[in-house]
Amino acid sequence: MGKLAASILAADLAHLADQVKLVEPWTDVIHVDIMDGHFVPPIALGGVVVASLRPVTALPLHGHLMVDAPETQFEELRAAGLDVVSFHLEAVPDPSPALRKARGVGMRVGLTLNLETPVERVVPYLEEIDDLMLMSIPPGWSGQRLNPAVFPRLERAREEIDRRGLAIELEVDGGVKLDNARRAIEAGATVLVSASGLFGSSDPAEAARSFASILAEAGG
Ligand code: DX5
Ligand code: ZN
């Protein structure tokens, strides 16, 4: 069955522990967006937030690095308690050394692709990753609308993953809402990332429960 990743970028960060507790019963992963003001214009989150979250939840913490030179962050993030790290294929000349470094410090690893980057570019690295994340918005901000161009991209990625018999997660990140979640799952996504779809709702717990029931139904 598919998974729900709660992205805390849209949470009330002054009450982060309470916000995580609201969605936790229906959530599989906590997604932490890390931005450096270079790879994307905003600066957001980082090791101090990961360290604050670590004692609050037993859920895996997944860092989505929207940064240049992601490999310089791995040790600090692992020490803070990060379990899975994804970085952008666009941020590195060759992802393999950084993937090895992330694994070497004890994390599961993933690659993320912007909408403009052909899915073919990640195919040579599928055997080296645990997680592939396809952006469905320009990275940097919560609250944007999902670009439907991500659906054929998910289908293409799903085809390559299945053809190789790999068990890697396929995530969709950006503008995922209750009304497009099923379409993303049908296209092959196994993890739905949502920030405003959860924390922008008047009832985040109910929104998480609704996502979980869509995932359960789609999973048969
Ligand atoms: C954007 C981040 C997303 C963001 C999603 O750069 O990578 O994870 O938090 O926000 P929503 O779900 O509001 O589009
Ligand atoms: Zn993200």
Side-chain angles (χ1 to χ4, degrees):
M1 200 176 90
K3 295 177 179 168
L4 176 62
S7 171
I8 60 169
L9 192 61
D12 174 358
L13 295 178
H15 303 98
L16 185 52
D18 297 340
Q19 297 264 286
V20 166
K21 289 294 158 195
L22 282 178
V23 299
E24 197 174 41
W26 299 281
T27 294
D28 303 286
V29 179
I30 301 296
H31 177 107
V32 183
D33 287 315
I34 298 175
M35 310 186 195
D36 66 352
H38 292 278
F39 184 77
V40 288
I43 291 176
L45 311 183
V48 290
V49 174
V50 172
S52 299
L53 269 176
R54 188 63 289 172
V56 166
T57 181
L59 291 175
L61 302 178
H62 183 175
H64 172 194
L65 273 57
M66 287 158 271
V67 306
D68 290 339
E71 68 283 356
T72 62
Q73 310 287 329
F74 296 157
E75 274 162 348
E76 182 197 335
L77 289 170
R78 179 60 186 151
L82 200 69
D83 301 294
V84 190
V85 68
S86 287
F87 59 89
H88 276 254
L89 188 58
E90 302 87 2
V92 288
D94 170 9
S96 295
L99 290 169
R100 277 196 299 273
K101 181 168 182 189
R103 265 196 213 292
V105 302
M107 293 188 283
R108 288 162 61 79
V109 298
L111 287 170
T112 304
L113 262 60
N114 283 338
L115 274 161
E116 302 73 27
T117 303
V119 170
E120 273 56 41
R121 280 203 47 207
V122 80
V123 169
Y125 307 105
L126 288 178
E127 266 89 7
E128 298 173 44
I129 60 180
D130 304 299
D131 190 289
L132 174 61
M133 186 151 63
L134 299 186
M135 296 307 298
S136 32
I137 54 168
W141 301 271
S142 166
Q144 305 178 77
R145 283 180 72 84
L146 173 143
N147 184 331
V150 78
F151 296 130
R153 291 169 54 76
L154 287 167
E155 285 163 7
R156 181 80 191 97
R158 167 55 50 209
E159 196 179 294
E160 289 295 338
I161 291 166
D162 289 352
R163 199 150 65 82
R164 288 168 170 71
L166 299 170
I168 67 183
E169 300 283 10
L170 180 57
E171 308 209 19
V172 55
D173 185 12
V176 178
K177 296 282 159 63
L178 293 172
D179 64 5
N180 56 27
R182 179 177 294 276
R183 178 78 187 86
I185 298 162
E186 284 168 0
T190 56
V191 183
L192 305 176
V193 181
S194 178
S196 55
L198 294 170
F199 300 111
S201 153
S202 57
D203 188 344
E206 178 56 29
R209 198 159 68 90
S210 301
F211 271 114
S213 73
I214 292 170
L215 284 159
E217 278 167 32

